Every structure is written in structure tokens, then in C-alpha cells.
Coordinates of all heavy atoms in Angstrom, one line a residue:
M1 N 66.7 101.1 84.8 CA 67.8 101.1 85.7 C 67.8 102.5 86.4 O 67.5 103.5 85.8 CB 69.1 100.9 84.9 CG 70.4 101.1 85.8 SD 71.8 100.9 84.8 CE 72.7 99.6 85.7
S2 N 68.1 102.5 87.7 CA 68.2 103.8 88.4 C 69.6 104.1 88.8 O 70.5 103.2 88.9 CB 67.3 103.7 89.6 OG 67.7 102.7 90.5
C3 N 69.9 105.4 89.1 CA 71.2 105.9 89.4 C 71.6 105.2 90.8 O 70.8 105.2 91.7 CB 71.1 107.4 89.6 SG 72.6 108.2 90.2
P4 N 72.8 104.7 90.9 CA 73.3 104.0 92.1 C 73.5 105.1 93.2 O 73.6 104.7 94.4 CB 74.5 103.3 91.7 CG 75.0 104.0 90.5 CD 73.8 104.5 89.8
I5 N 73.6 106.3 92.9 CA 73.8 107.3 94.0 C 72.5 107.9 94.5 O 72.3 107.9 95.7 CB 74.7 108.5 93.4 CG1 76.0 108.0 92.9 CG2 74.9 109.6 94.4 CD1 76.9 107.4 93.9
C6 N 71.6 108.3 93.7 CA 70.3 108.9 94.2 C 69.0 108.2 93.8 O 68.0 108.6 94.1 CB 70.3 110.4 93.7 SG 70.0 110.5 91.9
N7 N 69.1 107.1 93.0 CA 68.0 106.3 92.6 C 67.1 107.0 91.6 O 66.0 106.5 91.3 CB 67.2 105.8 93.8 CG 67.9 104.8 94.6 OD1 68.7 104.0 94.1 ND2 67.8 104.9 95.9
A8 N 67.5 108.1 91.0 CA 66.7 108.7 89.9 C 66.9 107.9 88.6 O 67.9 107.2 88.5 CB 67.2 110.2 89.7
P9 N 66.0 108.1 87.6 CA 66.2 107.4 86.3 C 67.6 107.9 85.7 O 68.0 109.0 85.8 CB 65.1 107.9 85.5 CG 64.0 108.4 86.5 CD 64.8 108.9 87.7
T10 N 68.2 106.9 85.0 CA 69.5 107.2 84.4 C 69.4 108.1 83.2 O 68.3 108.0 82.5 CB 70.3 106.0 84.1 OG1 69.6 105.2 83.2 CG2 70.6 105.2 85.3
A11 N 70.4 108.8 82.8 CA 70.5 109.6 81.6 C 71.5 108.9 80.7 O 72.6 108.5 81.2 CB 70.9 111.0 81.9
A12 N 71.2 108.8 79.4 CA 72.1 108.1 78.5 C 73.5 108.6 78.5 O 74.5 107.9 78.4 CB 71.5 108.1 77.1
Q13 N 73.6 110.0 78.6 CA 74.9 110.6 78.6 C 75.8 110.2 79.8 O 77.0 110.2 79.7 CB 74.7 112.1 78.5 CG 76.0 112.9 78.5 CD 75.8 114.4 78.5 OE1 74.6 114.9 78.6 NE2 76.8 115.2 78.3
W14 N 75.1 110.0 81.0 CA 75.9 109.7 82.2 C 75.7 108.3 82.7 O 76.1 108.0 83.8 CB 75.4 110.7 83.3 CG 75.6 112.1 82.8 CD1 74.6 113.0 82.5 CD2 76.8 112.8 82.7 NE1 75.2 114.2 82.1 CE2 76.5 114.1 82.2 CE3 78.2 112.5 82.8 CZ2 77.5 115.0 81.9 CZ3 79.1 113.4 82.6 CH2 78.8 114.7 82.1
R15 N 75.2 107.4 81.9 CA 74.9 106.0 82.4 C 76.1 105.4 83.1 O 77.2 105.5 82.6 CB 74.5 105.2 81.2 CG 73.9 103.9 81.6 CD 73.2 103.2 80.5 NE 72.0 104.1 80.2 CZ 70.8 103.6 79.9 NH1 70.6 102.3 79.8 NH2 69.8 104.4 79.7
P16 N 75.9 104.8 84.2 CA 74.7 104.4 84.9 C 74.2 105.4 85.8 O 73.3 105.1 86.7 CB 75.2 103.1 85.6 CG 76.6 103.5 86.1 CD 77.1 104.2 84.9
F17 N 74.6 106.7 85.7 CA 74.2 107.7 86.6 C 73.1 108.6 86.0 O 72.9 108.5 84.8 CB 75.4 108.6 87.1 CG 76.5 107.8 87.7 CD1 77.6 107.5 86.9 CD2 76.4 107.3 88.9 CE1 78.6 106.7 87.4 CE2 77.4 106.5 89.5 CZ 78.5 106.2 88.7
C18 N 72.5 109.5 86.8 CA 71.5 110.4 86.2 C 72.0 111.7 85.8 O 71.4 112.4 85.0 CB 70.4 110.6 87.3 SG 71.0 111.5 88.7
S19 N 73.2 112.1 86.3 CA 73.8 113.4 86.0 C 75.3 113.4 86.2 O 75.8 112.4 86.8 CB 73.1 114.4 86.9 OG 73.5 114.1 88.3
R20 N 75.9 114.4 85.8 CA 77.3 114.6 86.1 C 77.6 114.7 87.6 O 78.6 114.2 88.0 CB 77.9 115.8 85.3 CG 79.3 116.0 85.6 CD 79.9 117.2 84.8 NE 81.3 117.2 85.0 CZ 82.2 117.7 84.2 NH1 81.7 118.3 83.1 NH2 83.5 117.7 84.4
R21 N 76.7 115.3 88.3 CA 76.9 115.4 89.7 C 77.0 114.1 90.4 O 78.0 113.8 91.2 CB 75.7 116.2 90.3 CG 75.8 116.3 91.9 CD 74.5 116.9 92.4 NE 74.5 116.9 93.9 CZ 74.2 115.9 94.6 NH1 73.7 114.8 94.0 NH2 74.2 115.9 95.9
C22 N 76.1 113.1 90.1 CA 76.2 111.8 90.7 C 77.4 111.0 90.2 O 78.0 110.3 91.0 CB 74.9 111.0 90.4 SG 73.5 111.6 91.4
A23 N 77.8 111.2 88.9 CA 79.0 110.6 88.4 C 80.2 111.1 89.2 O 81.1 110.3 89.5 CB 79.2 110.8 86.9
D24 N 80.3 112.4 89.4 CA 81.4 113.0 90.2 C 81.4 112.5 91.6 O 82.5 112.3 92.2 CB 81.4 114.5 90.1 CG 81.8 115.1 88.7 OD1 82.3 114.3 87.9 OD2 81.5 116.2 88.5
L25 N 80.2 112.4 92.2 CA 80.2 111.9 93.6 C 80.7 110.5 93.7 O 81.4 110.1 94.6 CB 78.7 111.9 94.1 CG 78.2 113.3 94.5 CD1 76.7 113.3 94.8 CD2 78.9 114.0 95.6
D26 N 80.4 109.6 92.7 CA 80.8 108.3 92.7 C 82.4 108.3 92.5 O 83.1 107.5 93.2 CB 80.2 107.5 91.5 CG 80.6 106.1 91.5 OD1 80.2 105.3 92.4 OD2 81.3 105.7 90.6
L27 N 82.9 109.1 91.6 CA 84.3 109.2 91.4 C 85.0 109.6 92.7 O 86.1 109.0 93.1 CB 84.7 110.2 90.3 CG 86.1 110.4 90.0 CD1 86.8 109.1 89.6 CD2 86.3 111.4 88.9
A28 N 84.5 110.5 93.4 CA 85.1 111.0 94.7 C 85.1 109.8 95.7 O 86.1 109.7 96.4 CB 84.3 112.2 95.2
K29 N 84.1 109.0 95.7 CA 84.1 107.8 96.6 C 85.2 106.9 96.3 O 85.9 106.3 97.1 CB 82.7 107.1 96.6 CG 81.6 107.8 97.3 CD 80.4 107.0 97.2 CE 79.2 107.7 97.9 NZ 78.0 106.8 98.0
W30 N 85.4 106.7 95.0 CA 86.5 105.8 94.5 C 87.9 106.4 94.9 O 88.8 105.7 95.4 CB 86.5 105.6 93.0 CG 85.6 104.5 92.6 CD1 84.4 104.7 92.0 CD2 85.7 103.1 92.7 NE1 83.8 103.5 91.7 CE2 84.6 102.5 92.1 CE3 86.8 102.3 93.2 CZ2 84.5 101.1 92.1 CZ3 86.6 100.9 93.1 CH2 85.5 100.4 92.6
L31 N 88.1 107.7 94.7 CA 89.3 108.3 95.0 C 89.6 108.4 96.5 O 90.8 108.3 96.9 CB 89.4 109.8 94.4 CG 89.3 109.8 92.9 CD1 89.2 111.3 92.4 CD2 90.5 109.1 92.3
R32 N 88.6 108.5 97.4 CA 88.8 108.5 98.8 C 89.0 107.1 99.4 O 89.4 106.9 100.5 CB 87.6 109.1 99.5 CG 87.5 110.6 99.5 CD 86.4 111.1 100.5 NE 85.1 110.5 100.3 CZ 84.2 111.0 99.6 NH1 84.3 112.2 99.0 NH2 83.0 110.4 99.4
G33 N 88.7 106.1 98.6 CA 88.9 104.7 99.0 C 87.6 104.2 99.7 O 87.7 103.2 100.4
S34 N 86.5 104.8 99.6 CA 85.3 104.4 100.2 C 84.8 103.1 99.7 O 84.0 102.4 100.5 CB 84.2 105.4 100.0 OG 84.5 106.7 100.6
Y35 N 85.1 102.7 98.5 CA 84.7 101.4 98.0 C 85.7 100.3 98.3 O 85.5 99.1 97.8 CB 84.5 101.5 96.5 CG 83.3 102.3 96.1 CD1 83.4 103.2 95.1 CD2 82.0 102.1 96.7 CE1 82.3 104.0 94.7 CE2 81.0 102.9 96.3 CZ 81.1 103.8 95.3 OH 80.0 104.5 94.9
A36 N 86.8 100.5 99.0 CA 87.8 99.5 99.3 C 87.2 98.4 100.2 O 86.4 98.6 101.0 CB 89.0 100.2 100.0
I37 N 87.7 97.2 99.9 CA 87.3 96.1 100.7 C 88.3 95.9 101.9 O 89.5 95.9 101.7 CB 87.3 94.8 99.9 CG1 86.3 94.9 98.8 CG2 87.0 93.6 100.8 CD1 86.4 93.8 97.7
P38 N 87.8 95.9 103.1 CA 88.7 95.8 104.3 C 89.4 94.5 104.2 O 88.9 93.4 103.8 CB 87.8 95.8 105.5 CG 86.4 96.2 105.0 CD 86.4 96.0 103.5
A39 N 90.7 94.5 104.5 CA 91.6 93.4 104.5 C 92.4 93.3 105.8 O 92.6 94.3 106.4 CB 92.5 93.4 103.3
Q40 N 92.8 92.0 106.1 CA 93.6 91.8 107.3 C 95.1 92.1 106.9 O 95.5 91.8 105.8 CB 93.5 90.4 107.7 CG 92.2 90.1 108.4 CD 92.2 88.6 108.9 OE1 92.7 87.7 108.2 NE2 91.6 88.4 110.0
E41 N 95.8 92.7 107.8 CA 97.2 92.9 107.6 C 97.9 91.6 107.7 O 97.4 90.7 108.4 CB 97.7 93.9 108.7 CG 97.2 95.3 108.6 CD 97.6 96.0 107.4 OE1 98.8 95.8 106.9 OE2 96.8 96.7 106.8
P42 N 99.1 91.4 107.1 CA 99.8 90.1 107.2 C 100.0 89.6 108.6 O 99.9 88.4 108.9 CB 101.1 90.4 106.5 CG 100.8 91.5 105.6 CD 99.8 92.3 106.3
D43 N 100.3 90.5 109.6 CA 100.5 90.1 111.0 C 99.2 89.5 111.6 O 99.2 88.6 112.3 CB 101.0 91.2 111.9 CG 102.4 91.6 111.5 OD1 103.1 90.8 110.9 OD2 102.8 92.8 111.9
E44 N 98.0 90.1 111.2 CA 96.7 89.7 111.7 C 96.4 88.3 111.1 O 95.9 87.4 111.8 CB 95.6 90.6 111.3 CG 95.8 92.0 112.0 CD 94.8 93.0 111.5 OE1 94.2 92.8 110.4 OE2 94.5 94.0 112.2
I45 N 96.8 88.0 109.9 CA 96.6 86.7 109.3 C 97.4 85.7 110.0 O 96.9 84.6 110.3 CB 96.9 86.8 107.7 CG1 95.9 87.7 107.0 CG2 96.8 85.4 107.1 CD1 96.3 88.0 105.6
A46 N 98.7 86.0 110.2 CA 99.5 85.0 110.9 C 99.0 84.7 112.3 O 99.0 83.6 112.7 CB 101.0 85.6 111.0
E47 N 98.5 85.7 113.0 CA 98.0 85.5 114.3 C 96.7 84.6 114.3 O 96.5 83.7 115.1 CB 97.6 86.8 115.0 CG 98.8 87.6 115.5 CD 99.5 87.0 116.6 OE1 98.9 86.3 117.5 OE2 100.7 87.1 116.7
A48 N 95.9 84.8 113.3 CA 94.7 84.0 113.1 C 95.0 82.6 112.8 O 94.2 81.7 113.2 CB 93.8 84.7 112.0
Q49 N 96.1 82.3 112.1 CA 96.4 81.0 111.7 C 97.3 80.3 112.7 O 97.5 79.1 112.6 CB 97.1 81.0 110.3 CG 96.2 81.5 109.2 CD 96.9 81.7 107.9 OE1 98.1 81.7 107.8 NE2 96.2 81.9 106.8
H50 N 97.8 81.0 113.7 CA 98.7 80.4 114.7 C 98.0 79.5 115.6 O 97.0 79.8 116.2 CB 99.4 81.5 115.4 CG 100.3 81.0 116.5 ND1 101.4 80.2 116.3 CD2 100.2 81.1 117.9 CE1 102.0 79.9 117.5 NE2 101.2 80.4 118.4
D51 N 98.5 78.3 115.8 CA 98.0 77.3 116.8 C 98.7 77.6 118.1 O 99.9 77.4 118.3 CB 98.3 75.9 116.3 CG 97.7 74.8 117.2 OD1 97.2 75.2 118.3 OD2 97.8 73.6 116.9
P52 N 97.9 78.0 119.1 CA 98.5 78.4 120.4 C 99.2 77.3 121.1 O 100.0 77.5 122.0 CB 97.3 78.9 121.2 CG 96.1 78.7 120.5 CD 96.5 78.2 119.1
S53 N 98.9 76.0 120.8 CA 99.6 74.9 121.4 C 101.0 74.6 120.9 O 101.7 73.9 121.5 CB 98.7 73.6 121.3 OG 98.6 73.2 119.9
E54 N 101.3 75.2 119.8 CA 102.6 75.1 119.2 C 103.5 76.3 119.5 O 103.0 77.4 119.7 CB 102.6 75.0 117.7 CG 101.9 73.7 117.2 CD 101.9 73.7 115.7 OE1 102.6 74.5 115.0 OE2 101.1 72.8 115.2
P55 N 104.8 76.1 119.8 CA 105.7 77.3 120.0 C 105.7 78.2 118.8 O 105.5 77.8 117.7 CB 107.1 76.7 120.2 CG 106.9 75.2 120.0 CD 105.5 74.9 119.7
R56 N 105.8 79.5 119.1 CA 105.8 80.5 118.0 C 106.9 80.3 117.1 O 106.8 80.4 115.9 CB 105.8 81.9 118.7 CG 105.6 83.0 117.8 CD 104.3 82.8 117.1 NE 103.6 84.1 116.9 CZ 102.6 84.3 116.1 NH1 102.2 83.3 115.4 NH2 102.1 85.4 115.9
Y57 N 108.1 80.2 117.6 CA 109.3 80.0 116.8 C 109.9 78.7 117.2 O 110.2 78.4 118.3 CB 110.3 81.1 117.0 CG 109.7 82.5 116.7 CD1 109.2 83.3 117.6 CD2 109.6 82.9 115.3 CE1 108.7 84.6 117.3 CE2 109.1 84.1 115.0 CZ 108.6 84.9 116.0 OH 108.1 86.1 115.6
K58 N 110.2 77.9 116.2 CA 110.9 76.6 116.4 C 112.4 76.7 116.2 O 112.8 77.2 115.2 CB 110.3 75.5 115.4 CG 108.8 75.3 115.6 CD 108.3 74.3 114.6 CE 106.8 74.1 114.7 NZ 106.3 73.2 113.7
P59 N 113.1 76.2 117.2 CA 114.6 76.3 117.1 C 115.1 75.4 115.9 O 114.4 74.3 115.6 CB 115.1 75.7 118.4 CG 114.0 75.2 119.1 CD 112.7 75.6 118.5
H60 N 116.1 75.8 115.3 CA 116.7 75.0 114.1 C 117.5 73.9 114.6 O 118.2 73.8 115.5 CB 117.5 75.9 113.2 CG 116.6 76.9 112.5 ND1 115.6 76.6 111.7 CD2 116.6 78.2 112.7 CE1 115.0 77.7 111.3 NE2 115.6 78.7 111.9

């Protein structure tokens, strides 16, 4: 197995990383939100699901 940050061989002490430096770089990515999965905002989802042939708001 190689380090997911720099592809060097892993070290047992830092597995799955090769060093503390790479482990810290990975942690920083998590803390910054770099690994976040992009998502649609609720308004964007409603727009994507809206049928333009139907009125937006139906009277009661």
C-alpha cells in the first residue's frame, strides 16, 4: 500500500500514510472541507424537479 498523499511506501506508525507530515496534510484537507461532496441547495433541487407546464403555486 502506498501513501494516499505522496505515494511513498506507508509506515506502520502512520498507516495509511508514510509520515506525520502526510497525515497532517490529510487532516488539513478534512478540516478545510476539501473532501466534501458537492450538494445541491434545497432551492436548486426544487427548481430541478419543477415541471414548467404546471403553475408554480396552486391556489387553494
Side-chain angles (χ1 to χ4, degrees):
M1 176 181 232
S2 61
C3 176
I5 301 297
C6 70
N7 292 323
T10 60
Q13 181 181 4
W14 303 107
R15 191 163 293 220
F17 306 102
C18 65
S19 65
R20 180 178 184 152
R21 177 186 173 276
C22 285
D24 287 346
L25 288 172
D26 184 71
L27 177 61
K29 286 182 179 185
W30 277 105
L31 294 175
R32 279 193 307 264
S34 298
Y35 290 134
I37 298 171
Q40 289 182 322
E41 294 295 322
D43 292 339
E44 293 173 345
I45 293 170
E47 287 293 326
Q49 295 173 348
H50 174 67
D51 183 355
S53 66
E54 294 182 12
R56 187 59 143 161
Y57 298 100
K58 296 179 184 177
H60 296 294

